[in-house]
Amino acid sequence: MAAPVLVPAVAPAALAPRTALDALAGPPGRFLTSVWPWRSLAYLLTGAVPGFAFGTVLSSARAVGDVAGAITAVPVAALVAAALLVPVAWFERWRLRLADRQPVRGLPGGRWPGWREAGHALVALVVLGWVDLLVAVVAIAGPAVLILSPVVQPISPEGEATLGETFIGSAAGLLLVPVAAYTVSAWAGARAAMARAMLVPQEAETREVARSRARLVDAFEAERRRIERDLHDGAQQRLVALSMKLGLAGLDLPPGSPAALRLEEARELAGQALAELRELIRGVHPQVLADRGLPAAVRDVAGRSPVPARVDIALDGRLPARVEAAAYYVVCETLANVAKHSGAQSCTVRGRLRRSVLVLEVADDGRGGADPALGTGLTGLADRVAAVEGTLSVESPYGGPTTVRAEIPCVW
């Protein structure tokens, strides 16, 4: 039997690079004509600002209070570095935006930096800032000297060789400009990635993304309920009234007359529109899910499934609304896939709550071979489950059976 496949949630690709490393991965022409080489150069050059500030303040402090000479150098340097930690930490966060456009919030600890920010600020103050400056100067100086070689190097009047060499050097300098752009951007991207890892811990970003995604899901579910309520109380009631009026109008006409036949046709069309609208309302957000919970809603959708489905869901009580909506969506889409692709004769829907985690399984006796890459909707299901911090796994060997398993944490 094939091992279950964990279906990943697929995120859409960014339309524009958000970091220097992302820009490096793009086409060379687009990268070289973009602002990223210049932003990267500015990022590296500003890295020396804390070092210059540290040297200036340290020189001033020693000039004013240097009594014991070298004995006070180390304590004075330590005090100056400690005094500069907070502004340097803030400065590092500010300049990170030059090479990384992703959001960076203020110091998580409030007024004083945490150990991550303090350690990064200290290393940037003493070492990394000067390394940034060295990389920028070396990358720029080489092409610049070669390009300006006809100006800075005197041309010998004895022969043409010296003149040709200078212009060859100038051409070589022009060819090295793209190399310098890639070198500067690569180091700036690496430095920015390291700074982000220190200043914005990965777990904090993950929690923020999860919270943001949960807010979007809640807002989406609220909008779905509003649409369902408007359709139920508005358009559906008007169609019912229209069907009744058409029926009453038909009573005033002679049976079999052309007008009576047209009214009957109009009444049948209104009935079809009403049935389609009810099906649409049930798909948007079924009233039974809101009123009676997940088990009743799953039994309702299983009863309308073309493939006979047995429901075995045992829950102690109601689940959070967004968990119920996600689980209902999983059941609906999976049963639809079973009817369209599996060739199954029957299926089973099971649901249990285990340690505050809803475990939902939909199993069928079909031909198997379900593959997310074939466009069977499994990727969309995984995205929907991931939006409520859950996971989706699929076990579907060729020949069957197929089991779709969703695990959704329930946080009240």
Side-chain angles (χ1 to χ4, degrees):
M1 181 176 291
V5 178
L6 186 63
V7 185
V10 179
L15 296 178
R18 304 187 67 184
T19 68
L21 293 180
D22 291 342
L24 282 172
R30 182 181 301 174
F31 166 72
L32 294 174
T33 56
S34 68
V35 299
W36 282 106
W38 299 104
R39 292 175 68 96
S40 300
L41 180 60
Y43 178 74
L44 296 186
L45 292 178
T46 55
V49 172
F52 281 119
F54 177 64
T56 302
V57 175
L58 182 60
S59 300
S60 302
R62 290 192 61 188
V64 173
D66 190 6
V67 177
I71 298 177
T72 60
V74 174
V76 169
L79 289 174
V80 172
L84 291 177
L85 280 184
V86 173
V88 169
W90 280 103
F91 180 76
E92 286 295 317
R93 281 182 171 259
W94 172 83
R95 81 182 189 100
L96 181 60
R97 291 177 290 184
L98 292 172
D100 188 340
R101 286 179 172 175
Q102 300 177 87
V104 179
R105 290 167 177 81
L107 293 175
R111 181 177 178 182
W112 302 102
W115 69 268
R116 287 177 175 269
E117 293 80 10
H120 181 265
L122 182 61
V123 175
L125 188 67
V126 178
V127 179
L128 292 180
W130 301 110
V131 176
D132 292 345
L133 181 62
L134 179 62
V135 172
V137 169
V138 170
I140 296 172
V145 169
L146 291 175
I147 292 172
L148 298 177
S149 58
V151 178
V152 299
Q153 180 179 353
I155 299 176
S156 173
E158 286 82 15
E160 297 294 332
T162 305
L163 177 62
E165 289 174 357
T166 56
F167 281 100
I168 290 175
S170 182
L174 291 175
L175 293 177
L176 286 176
V177 169
V179 177
Y182 272 89
T183 302
V184 168
S185 299
W187 177 249
R191 276 280 289 113
M194 182 177 64
R196 173 171 285 276
M198 293 297 295
L199 299 177
V200 186
Q202 185 66 32
E203 58 271 16
E205 286 192 334
T206 303
R207 286 194 300 269
E208 180 59 29
V209 169
R211 284 194 293 265
S212 176
R213 188 164 54 184
R215 289 193 295 268
L216 289 176
V217 171
D218 292 341
F220 177 69
E221 290 301 328
E223 185 66 14
R224 283 166 59 100
R225 292 192 189 95
R226 185 192 66 80
I227 294 173
E228 183 272 335
R229 186 170 55 252
D230 291 346
L231 290 175
H232 184 274
D233 298 338
Q236 180 176 258
Q237 299 303 323
R238 291 186 179 89
L239 281 175
V240 171
L242 174 62
S243 182
M244 293 178 59
K245 288 183 179 296
L246 290 174
L248 293 174
L251 297 176
D252 298 333
L253 296 175
S257 63
L261 293 177
R262 293 190 182 93
L263 275 179
E264 185 62 25
E265 292 176 357
R267 186 180 179 186
E268 290 179 359
L269 290 175
Q272 294 175 6
L274 182 59
E276 292 176 358
L277 181 61
R278 284 172 176 166
E279 190 65 26
L280 175 63
I281 293 173
R282 188 180 293 112
V284 170
H285 190 83
Q287 191 64 33
V288 64
L289 179 63
D291 293 342
R292 300 173 57 192
L294 181 64
V298 170
R299 284 192 290 269
D300 177 66
V301 71
R304 293 181 280 108
S305 172
V307 178
R310 186 174 69 89
V311 178
D312 179 18
I313 297 181
L315 303 175
D316 296 333
R318 294 295 299 267
L319 304 178
R322 63 193 186 104
V323 174
E324 288 186 338
Y328 179 79
Y329 180 84
V330 169
V331 173
C332 290
E333 291 300 312
T334 304
L335 291 180
N337 286 338
V338 169
K340 292 179 183 178
H341 307 292
S342 71
Q345 300 300 316
S346 64
C347 61
T348 303
V349 182
R350 302 184 185 90
R352 294 291 187 274
L353 190 63
R354 299 174 182 171
R355 297 180 181 178
S356 298
V357 175
L358 174 64
V359 180
L360 191 68
E361 291 184 350
V362 182
D364 67 72
D365 57 1
R367 65 178 67 97
D371 187 354
L374 299 179
T376 55
L378 294 177
T379 301
L381 280 179
D383 290 339
R384 186 66 179 84
V385 173
V388 289
E389 303 180 13
T391 59
L392 185 81
S393 61
V394 179
E395 185 180 353
S396 183
Y398 284 99
T402 296
T403 302
V404 177
R405 178 187 177 96
E407 298 184 10
I408 307 174
C410 301
V411 181
W412 281 267

